[in-house]
């Protein structure tokens, strides 16, 4: 599985922590930036870079986007066809979003999560499988049709 990660200045430190965490566990992680701390950077640049990669193969590529609140990066990522991003603050929420809604991008709020909490949420995001139940697939299909509306 390919994992793309990106963050603005408010998520920069957390991004680097998560990148190292996943690399130590043997995952292939691609950092789309920012590569240096830049207080003047903007989260849409990095969220869109992650989302563009995930949109190439939404069922097999995963992404993590990080900004201060997580909301802005979540909104930006969801503008891309095939992307299902969710801002998550609890493990139950991450599990349900992966299992039921097949999210492929996790948005994290650097201002509201400790590094350990973010690692746990991100690990759960990566490890949880999408349920093959018909009701979940039907709902994903309905969401996909909205992209063409």
């Amino acid at each position: 599985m390919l994992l793309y990660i990106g963050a603005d200045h408010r998520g920069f430190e957390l991004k680097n922590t998560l990148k190292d965490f996943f690399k130590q566990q043997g995952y292939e992680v691609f950092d789309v930036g920012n590569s240096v701390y830049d207080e003047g950077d903007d989260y849409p640049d990095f969220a869109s870079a992650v989302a563009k990669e995930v949109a190439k193969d939404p069922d097999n590529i995963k992404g993590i986007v990080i900004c201060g609140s997580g909301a802005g990066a979540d909104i930006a990522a969801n503008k891309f066809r095939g992307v299902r991003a969710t801002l998550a603050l609890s493990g139950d929420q991450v599990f349900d979003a992966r299992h039921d809604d097949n999210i492929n991008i996790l948005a994290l709020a650097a201002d509201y999560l400790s590094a350990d909490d973010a690692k746990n949420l991100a690990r759960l995001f990566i490890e949880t499988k999408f349920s093959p139940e018909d009701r979940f697939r039907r709902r994903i299909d309905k969401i996909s049709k909205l992209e063409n509306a």
Side-chain angles (χ1 to χ4, degrees), residues 18-96:
L18 290 175
K19 180 175 66 173
D20 292 343
F21 172 72
F22 281 116
K23 282 186 174 184
Q24 289 171 0
Q25 294 187 26
Y27 288 97
E28 190 172 11
V29 182
F30 296 93
D31 183 346
V32 300
N34 201 345
S35 58
V36 296
Y37 179 85
D38 177 1
E39 194 171 308
D41 65 14
D42 296 313
Y43 62 81
D45 299 330
F46 309 107
S48 64
V50 170
K52 284 178 187 175
E53 294 300 327
V54 172
K56 292 177 183 177
D57 190 359
D59 292 325
N60 296 304
I61 299 174
K62 301 289 181 276
I64 298 174
V65 295
I66 309 165
C67 67
S69 71
D74 182 29
I75 292 166
N78 273 308
K79 298 298 181 188
F80 292 81
R81 184 179 309 279
V83 167
R84 291 174 304 280
T86 296
L87 170 60
L89 296 172
S90 77
D92 289 341
Q93 184 184 23
V94 172
F95 178 85
D96 287 347

Side-chain angles (χ1 to χ4, degrees), residues 109-129:
D111 290 354
Y112 303 104
L113 293 171
S114 69
D116 286 340
D117 287 342
K119 286 178 191 176
N120 288 331
L121 295 176
R123 180 190 48 75
L124 192 57
F125 166 67
I126 296 300
E127 292 176 358
T128 302
K129 303 294 183 211

Side-chain angles (χ1 to χ4, degrees), residues 131-146:
S131 171
E133 291 181 54
D134 287 340
R135 64 186 170 130
F136 298 132
R137 291 198 182 279
R138 181 182 71 243
R139 293 168 187 162
I140 298 300
D141 288 344
K142 288 181 177 184
I143 291 169
S144 294
K145 287 178 183 175
L146 293 173

